[in-house]
Amino acid sequence: MLKLLSSTAHTIHHANPSPRVGSNPIKTPLFNALSQLTGWNRSSQELSRRAFCSNQSDAAADPKSDASNPEASDTKSSSAVVVSTTTTSLDDYQTVIALPLPKKPLFPGFYMPIYVKDRKLIEALQESMRRQTPYAGAFLLKDDEASADSSSSSTTCETENVLEKFKGKELLNRMHEVGTLAQISSIQGEQVILIGRRRLRITDMVSEDPLSVKVEHIKNKAYDKDDDVIKATYFEVMSTLRDVLKTTSLWRDQHIGDFNYQHLADFGAGISGANKHENQGVLEELDVHKRLELTLDLLKKEVEVNKIQASIAKTVEEKFSGERRQIVLKEQLKAIKKELGVETDGKSAFSEKFKERIEVNKDKIPKHVLKVIEENLTKLQLLEPTSSEFDVTLNYLDWLTVLPWGNISDENFDVLRAEKILNEDHYGLSDVKERILEFIAVGSLRGTSQGKIICLSGPPGVGKTSIGRSIARALDRKFFRFSVGGLSDVAEINGHRRTYIGAMPGKLVQCLKTVGTENPIILIDEIDKLGKGHSGDPASALLEVMDPEQNANFRDHYLDVTIDLSKVLFVCTANVIDTIPKPLLDRMEVISLAGYITDEKLHIARDFLVKNTCRDCGIKPEQVLTLLTIAVGVSDAALLSLIENYCREAGVRIRQRASTVVPAVSVDVTDTEDTKPLAKTSAEVSTVLTDESATKTEQSEVVAEKVMIEESNLADYLGKPVFHSDKIYEKTPVGVVMGLAWTSMGGSTLYIETTFVEEVERKGRLRITGQLGSVMKESAQIAHTVARRIMLEKEPDNLFLANSKLHLHVPEGATPKDGPSAGCTMITSLLSLAMKKPVRKDLAMTGEVTLTGRILPIGGVKEKTIAARRCQVKMIIFPEANRKDFDELPENVKEGLDVHFVDEYEQIFELAFGYDH
C-alpha cells in the first residue's frame, strides 16, 4: 500500500531534525485505507505525527527555480496537514542502513509498510529512532532467484527471505544503486512504516550486518519550467492522471493540482500498475522531462487497462442485471396471477396434484409410504424451484404417488373360458394347454394364482410369448413384458440410487406404473440369456423379485420403500433351461413347448397365417369389388412344400414367407383374352379402379381370375428352396446309421458314418471328425470298445475291429455337436461296417450306452420324434426309461410310427440287423 503526501505542505522549521506532531490529525480516505490494508492499528491521530516535507534539496539544485516554482515553495497550502524537517538536515545523512525492497521501489512522497524479521536490523532501526536520526536507504532488488515476483498481489514487501539468505557484499550486489532516502515513521513489532524523501545512490559499503552503505544525494537535472514542450507534457500527464484517478476509488480524493513537475511524475509512476523495472526506470531518471514522458507512457497503459476492465465489468453487470430483472419480473407475474386467482405458484400446483393422487387411495396406501410422501411434500415447500434438489424431490414424489397402491384387478378363474381363449389363440400344444388349465383350476380353488413362477421353455417361434398374453387374457389380468436378454446391470431390476443424475426406478416399478394394478402378469423374456457384469448379478436380483417368500417386501433402490410384489404372476420364457441359474430354476414351474409337427404347421398356416397376411396386404374377406375381384388360393401341397423346404424351424415363424406369396399374387391378375392386361402394382390397380368407375357400362365386362399357388409355381414367388431333406440316403449303406438329436431350434436327424482306413494288426484305432464335443468324443470311444466286445461274442472269428484303423464322421462338420445320446447309434455303425451288413431301412435310434451295454434315458423325445417323422422314418428306438415321455405325446405325433423301447444294446442289435433281406 502506497500513500502520497502533498509536496506543497506547510513547513515548520525546528532545530531538531526529528518530526513533530501536526496541529490536526490526518483523516483522509487514503490513511484509513492504509490502516485497513496493512493491519496497522494505530489511530489516525498517531499516524498524523509522522509527516513528510517537500524535497527542497531537489529544488535547490535547480538554478532556475524561484519562489514561483512550486517545487521551491514552502508556504503554499495543501490539503494534508504535515510536519516538516529542515531541508539542510537531510543532506547530513551520508551513511544509512540499506533496506532491500523485493517488489517495488519507494518513490519520494509515498508511504510503504515493510516487514522485517531480522532482529539485528530491527534493533538498528530502533536505535536510529532513539537517536532521533530515523532514516534509512530503500533499494529495489534486482531480478534473481532471491527476489520476489513483481506481479505479486501482496501489498507489503517481505524482506525476511532476502536477509536470511544474503549478507554484506552479496546483498549489496543484488540491490540497485539508485534508491530512496526513507524516513522511518514507526516500528511496531516486525512492521516498519517508511516514507520516501529523496533519491540516493550507493557509493560504498560501510558494514555488513546489518548492511550499512555510504550514499550520495542525487539531484534532478536543471530544466526550464517555462519550456513549452515540458509544459505540454506536464499538462498531458495531469490530464491522463485525472482519468486514472476517476476509475480508482482509492485515489479518487487525491488533489494533484498543486504538484510540481517532478512530483507529478513520481506520483503517476507510484500509483500505476507498472512492473518494478519500469518504476525503477522512472526513479533513476534525473531528467524531469524524460521522467514525465516515462510516467505518461505508464499512465496511458493504465488508462487502457482500466477501459478493458470497465468493459468487462459492464458486460458482466449487464448479464447479471438482465437475469435479476427477469427473476424479479417472473416473481411479480406469479404474485399478480396468484392475487387474480389465475394461477398458483409451481410448488403449490405440484403439491395439490400429489395430494389429489393420494386422496383417492389414502386408505389403501401403506402407512410407511404415506409418511414418506408427507415428509417429501413438506420438503418440497421449503426448496427453491431453481435448486437441483427440487427436481429430485419432485420426480420422487411423482413416482411415489402414481403407483397403484392397493389397486387390485378382479381375476377370472373360469376354466372353460380359459380353454376357449387358448384354443382361439393357439393350435395344438394340447399338453401345454392342459398344464395351464390345471394351473388356473388350482388358482380357482385357492382363490388366487399368486405364488407361482411359470417358465415356458422351447425353441423360437413356438408361441411362448403369445401364450403368456393368452394367460393374462384368460385371467383378466393386465399384461407387461420386458426382455432380460443380455441384461448385466442390476439397476434395471432394483433401480438406481437417487443420488445419481438421471436415476430411475427398476423395471418392476415401471411395470406397476404402466399397468395401474398390483397384480399384473409380468412376462420376463429370454431369461436364459441373462448377463453378468461389473455392476452386479441380475439373476440374484430377479431371485429376490420373483421368490414368493421374499417379494412381499421388495425394496426398490430409487423409491427406498417396500413394495408388495407377491400378487404379481411371473411368466418367464427361455429357449433352454440349462443356462438358467439353478437357484432361480428351482423356484420355477417349467412347461416345455417342443414345437409343431408338419400337420400342426399346415393348420396354423391355413387357418391363421394366410388369412392374417391377406388382411395385412389389404385383401379383406368382405372386399368384393364390382370392377375387380382378386381371388387368391393356396393349395395344401404348396403349404406343405413351403413348410418342408422354406420353413423347417420348430416354430411357425413362416409369416415372412407367406407375406411374400400373397402380395406377389395379388398383383398378378390378368384379364380375359378380350381385355387388356390389368395393372401389375397396387398403385396401378387403384388407378384402374378410378378410371373404370367413371364408365359403369364397362364394369360388367371385367372378369376376375382366380390365382392358385401350387407346389409347381411356389419357387416362382419364393425362389429356390432354403432347406433340403435331412434324409441323405434313400437306402442306408454299410457303416451308416441315422441318429436323432435335439437342438435349441427343435429336433433333427444325425447320421453316423464309419469307414475302413487301413489294416493294423491287433492295433484297432478310431479317428473321429465332425466338430464333436468332448462328451460325444467319449461316447465314440465307448462305442468302439463295446462294438469290439459284441463282435467277439457274436462272431469270434471276425477280427475286423481289432485289426483295422477306422474313421467315424458326423456330417455337417461346420455345426458343433455334443451330447451322450449318440452312443447306441455309433455302436450300430461300427457293427454294420464290421459285419458288412446295412441296418434296417427307415430306422432311427437314440440313447446313451454304458461300457456294459446298458441304454440310458435321453431328453427331447418329442423333438426327436418330430424330426423322425419329417424324414419319413417308420421305426424309432428309444430307451426304456423314456416310454412315459413318448406316451404323453399327442396321438397325431405318434401316428404311423413303430417305436421300440430297449434297456440293453442286445435288443438294438436284433432290431437293426435281425431282418430278412
Side-chain angles (χ1 to χ4, degrees):
M1 179 65 196
L2 306 178
K3 175 68 176 75
L4 178 70
L5 296 181
S6 175
S7 60
T8 58
H10 292 287
T11 305
I12 304 174
H13 297 277
H14 296 276
N16 194 318
S18 61
R20 291 290 182 262
V21 180
S23 59
N24 295 318
I26 300 174
K27 295 184 179 180
T28 64
L30 292 175
F31 281 90
N32 295 334
L34 173 67
S35 300
Q36 294 174 2
L37 291 175
T38 61
W40 193 42
N41 297 322
R42 301 187 70 180
S43 64
S44 58
Q45 175 68 26
E46 188 67 21
L47 179 60
S48 66
R49 297 178 58 189
R50 297 297 176 254
F52 171 67
C53 68
S54 301
N55 288 344
Q56 296 179 14
S57 57
D58 292 349
D62 186 356
K64 297 183 179 181
S65 61
D66 51 26
S68 64
N69 189 345
E71 187 177 13
S73 176
D74 290 332
T75 59
K76 301 263 179 138
S77 63
S78 174
S79 61
V81 180
V82 298
V83 177
S84 178
T85 60
T86 59
T87 304
T88 57
S89 64
L90 297 180
D91 295 328
D92 297 336
Y93 295 98
Q94 302 297 323
T95 300
V96 293
I97 298 173
L99 297 176
L101 304 178
K103 300 175 183 178
K104 194 171 186 179
L106 175 63
F107 283 96
F110 280 86
Y111 279 99
M112 178 180 286
I114 66 172
Y115 290 88
V116 180
K117 290 188 177 181
D118 188 288
R119 297 311 306 167
K120 289 185 178 180
L121 182 56
I122 286 288
E123 291 172 359
L125 296 176
Q126 291 173 342
E127 181 64 24
S128 65
M129 291 191 70
R130 282 195 296 269
R131 294 181 178 180
Q132 298 184 349
T133 58
Y135 290 93
F139 301 94
L140 182 68
L141 287 171
K142 299 175 182 177
D143 265 343
D144 54 28
E145 64 276 5
S147 62
D149 188 276
S150 62
S151 63
S152 173
S153 61
S154 176
T155 60
T156 60
C157 300
E158 303 292 340
T159 62
E160 57 269 17
N161 293 335
V162 179
L163 296 175
E164 287 176 2
K165 292 182 180 179
F166 308 110
K167 300 289 183 182
K169 191 70 174 178
E170 190 175 4
L171 177 60
L172 181 64
N173 293 335
R174 282 172 166 74
M175 294 190 298
H176 286 276
E177 290 184 356
V178 176
T180 308
L181 179 65
Q183 181 181 344
I184 303 171
S185 175
S186 68
I187 300 176
Q188 288 191 351
E190 296 177 351
Q191 187 187 60
V192 180
I193 304 295
L194 303 178
I195 305 174
R197 288 302 186 183
R198 57 169 58 177
R199 287 167 171 78
L200 299 175
R201 180 182 284 112
I202 298 174
T203 58
D204 196 5
M205 183 177 71
V206 177
S207 62
E208 293 188 355
D209 193 15
L211 180 62
S212 298
V213 295
K214 283 186 177 182
V215 296
E216 64 174 345
H217 298 259
I218 54 179
K219 309 293 185 180
N220 294 323
K221 294 181 180 179
Y223 65 96
D224 184 3
K225 62 182 180 61
D226 297 325
D227 185 89
D228 293 338
V229 176
I230 295 179
K231 278 186 177 181
T233 307
Y234 171 80
F235 289 122
E236 182 63 23
V237 172
M238 183 76 71
S239 174
T240 307
L241 192 54
R242 286 194 175 97
D243 293 337
V244 174
L245 294 178
K246 290 177 183 178
T247 59
T248 307
S249 59
L250 186 62
W251 303 100
R252 190 169 296 161
D253 298 331
Q254 185 66 44
H255 299 285
I256 59 174
D258 295 335
F259 285 1
N260 59 27
Y261 296 168
Q262 60 198 37
H263 290 153
L264 185 67
D266 289 344
F267 177 73
I271 69 168
S272 71
N275 59 50
K276 66 179 184 178
H277 305 294
E278 294 173 330
N279 283 329
Q280 182 66 23
V282 175
L283 184 67
E284 293 180 357
E285 183 57 60
L286 301 180
D287 189 317
V288 175
H289 179 225
K290 290 183 178 180
R291 191 188 301 171
L292 286 170
E293 290 179 336
L294 291 175
T295 300
L296 183 60
D297 289 340
L298 299 183
L299 292 175
K300 291 291 186 183
K301 292 179 182 179
E302 192 75 13
V303 170
E304 293 300 320
V305 171
N306 289 340
K307 287 182 180 178
I308 296 173
Q309 289 178 342
S311 175
I312 295 173
K314 183 180 180 181
T315 303
V316 175
E317 180 66 23
E318 288 177 352
K319 177 182 176 181
F320 283 101
S321 297
E323 292 178 355
R324 285 196 298 269
R325 182 172 179 271
Q326 290 181 359
I327 292 172
V328 171
L329 289 175
K330 286 180 180 179
E331 292 298 327
Q332 291 176 348
L333 181 62
K334 288 180 182 178
I336 293 171
K337 288 184 176 181
K338 188 175 181 180
E339 289 295 327
L340 294 175
V342 178
E343 182 181 289
T344 59
D345 64 287
K347 291 192 289 187
S348 300
F350 286 128
S351 297
E352 289 299 323
K353 181 180 73 171
F354 296 144
K355 288 178 181 178
E356 288 175 4
R357 286 181 182 177
I358 62 176
E359 282 298 327
V360 178
N361 295 326
K362 193 168 185 179
D363 296 336
K364 299 179 181 179
I365 299 177
K367 292 182 179 179
H368 68 281
V369 177
L370 199 59
K371 181 180 178 182
V372 173
I373 292 175
E374 291 173 352
E375 288 176 353
N376 280 272
L377 282 173
T378 304
K379 177 182 177 182
L380 188 70
Q381 293 298 322
L382 300 177
L383 294 173
E384 288 296 327
T386 55
S387 67
S388 59
E389 186 68 19
F390 182 85
D391 293 333
V392 173
T393 307
L394 187 67
N395 291 334
Y396 182 54
L397 282 170
D398 186 45
W399 278 103
L400 278 179
T401 56
V402 81
L403 291 181
W405 303 104
N407 187 11
I408 301 174
S409 62
D410 295 331
E411 289 186 279
N412 191 330
F413 293 107
D414 188 345
V415 178
L416 295 178
R417 176 177 175 272
E419 183 179 10
K420 180 182 178 181
I421 290 174
L422 290 174
N423 289 331
E424 286 177 356
D425 294 344
H426 300 87
Y427 181 87
L429 302 177
S430 57
D431 54 339
V432 177
K433 292 176 182 177
E434 185 178 350
R435 292 283 299 276
I436 294 173
L437 292 175
E438 289 176 358
F439 168 77
I440 295 175
V442 172
S444 66
L445 295 175
R446 296 176 61 235
T448 178
S449 59
Q450 66 189 49
K452 292 288 186 180
I453 306 173
I454 300 175
C455 180
L456 301 173
S457 171
V462 296
K464 299 184 294 296
T465 303
S466 59
I467 286 177
R469 288 195 179 92
S470 298
I471 294 174
R473 195 157 72 94
L475 293 174
D476 276 345
R477 285 200 184 193
K478 298 288 186 179
F479 179 79
F480 184 85
R481 171 192 173 273
F482 73 95
S483 176
V484 294
L487 182 69
S488 60
D489 189 1
V490 175
E492 290 290 328
I493 306 297
N494 288 342
H496 301 83
R497 306 279 182 185
R498 291 200 305 277
T499 53
Y500 299 117
I501 296 175
M504 289 184 64
K507 287 290 186 183
L508 279 303
V509 176
Q510 296 178 35
C511 159
L512 296 179
K513 176 185 176 181
T514 302
V515 299
T517 63
E518 278 191 338
N519 62 335
I521 288 182
I522 299 180
L523 179 73
I524 303 177
D525 220 350
E526 309 291 352
I527 199 169
D528 58 325
K529 301 176 181 63
L530 269 176
K532 187 174 183 180
H534 65 279
S535 57
D537 183 11
S540 301
L542 281 176
L543 186 63
E544 179 190 0
V545 168
M546 295 192 295
D547 189 357
E549 301 298 326
Q550 303 180 48
N551 60 12
N553 295 302
F554 171 71
R555 183 179 291 271
D556 184 89
H557 290 167
Y558 181 85
L559 297 182
D560 201 25
V561 294
T562 57
I563 304 172
D564 185 7
L565 297 179
S566 61
K567 301 178 181 63
V568 176
L569 176 60
F570 291 97
V571 179
C572 306
T573 68
N575 295 130
V576 291
I577 62 174
D578 298 339
T579 55
I580 300 176
K582 294 300 179 184
L584 203 56
L585 185 62
D586 289 342
R587 290 165 171 81
M588 295 179 177
E589 184 176 342
V590 180
I591 300 177
S592 298
L593 286 76
Y596 299 98
I597 61 175
T598 302
D599 292 343
E600 291 174 336
K601 289 184 178 180
L602 182 62
H603 282 88
I604 293 170
R606 184 191 299 116
D607 298 338
F608 295 94
L609 297 181
V610 172
K611 291 181 180 179
N612 293 340
T613 305
C614 288
R615 183 185 67 246
D616 294 344
C617 294
I619 307 173
K620 301 178 181 179
E622 67 274 10
Q623 184 180 14
V624 181
L625 302 178
T626 306
L627 171 65
L628 179 64
T629 301
I630 300 176
V632 180
V634 183
S635 66
D636 289 347
L639 288 176
L640 285 173
S641 178
L642 179 69
I643 293 168
E644 294 294 336
N645 299 324
Y646 295 90
C647 310
R648 196 178 291 177
E649 299 86 354
V652 290
R653 289 183 176 171
I654 61 175
R655 189 181 185 90
Q656 183 178 0
R657 293 296 177 183
S659 64
T660 307
V661 174
V662 178
V665 174
S666 64
V667 296
D668 195 18
V669 183
T670 58
D671 198 1
T672 59
E673 295 180 358
D674 297 332
T675 58
K676 56 185 178 181
L678 295 179
K680 298 297 182 180
T681 65
S682 58
E684 293 172 356
V685 169
S686 178
T687 303
V688 171
L689 289 174
T690 304
D691 294 341
E692 292 295 334
S693 61
T695 56
K696 296 182 179 180
T697 57
E698 299 179 4
Q699 290 179 0
S700 60
E701 299 178 2
V702 179
V703 179
E705 179 181 355
K706 183 176 182 180
V707 177
M708 285 297 296
I709 306 299
E710 300 287 353
E711 184 178 3
S712 58
N713 63 357
L714 187 63
D716 296 339
Y717 299 101
L718 302 181
K720 295 181 180 180
V722 177
F723 297 97
H724 300 280
S725 176
D726 286 344
K727 195 170 185 179
I728 301 176
Y729 305 100
E730 288 297 327
K731 183 178 180 181
T732 308
V734 172
V736 177
V737 181
M738 180 189 291
L740 298 174
W742 178 92
T743 67
S744 60
M745 299 293 292
S748 66
T749 57
L750 191 72
Y751 280 95
I752 305 294
E753 301 176 340
T754 310
T755 186
F756 172 76
V757 178
E758 62 180 351
E759 186 176 350
V760 287
E761 187 174 356
R762 297 194 179 277
K763 293 182 180 179
R765 288 181 292 171
L766 183 65
R767 183 184 178 189
I768 304 169
T769 58
Q771 200 172 347
L772 308 184
S774 59
V775 176
M776 208 164 180
K777 288 178 180 179
E778 290 179 356
S779 296
Q781 297 297 331
I782 294 172
H784 189 233
T785 302
V786 174
R788 290 179 64 174
R789 179 181 60 78
I790 292 175
M791 284 306 300
L792 286 175
E793 294 176 357
K794 301 289 184 181
E795 300 180 11
D797 296 334
N798 190 341
L799 302 177
F800 177 80
L801 295 177
N803 297 332
S804 301
K805 180 180 179 181
L806 306 178
H807 185 171
L808 187 146
H809 176 68
V810 182
E812 297 186 17
T815 304
K817 311 169 190 70
D818 204 4
S821 62
C824 63
T825 313
M826 292 178 175
I827 295 175
T828 307
S829 176
L830 291 168
L831 293 176
S832 172
L833 182 64
M835 296 186 299
K836 294 181 174 53
K837 183 178 181 180
V839 299
R840 185 190 298 269
K841 184 181 179 182
D842 299 332
L843 171 68
M845 63 184 69
T846 179
E848 182 180 357
V849 180
T850 67
L851 276 174
T852 59
R854 295 286 298 178
I855 306 299
L856 302 182
I858 47 86
V861 172
K862 183 177 181 180
E863 290 87 347
K864 293 179 178 180
T865 304
I866 294 173
R869 287 181 61 90
R870 189 167 56 239
C871 291
Q872 289 80 43
V873 172
K874 301 301 182 183
M875 179 184 288
I876 304 176
I877 300 175
F878 282 128
E880 178 66 35
N882 292 111
R883 182 187 293 271
K884 58 180 179 60
D885 298 322
F886 184 80
D887 292 341
E888 293 176 355
L889 297 180
E891 290 299 325
N892 60 341
V893 176
K894 298 185 289 184
E895 184 181 359
L897 293 176
D898 182 15
V899 181
H900 299 267
F901 299 96
V902 298
D903 52 13
E904 295 284 347
Y905 185 78
E906 293 292 339
Q907 298 170 266
I908 297 177
F909 186 87
E910 294 299 329
L911 291 171
F913 300 108
Y915 63 91
D916 297 331
H917 290 284

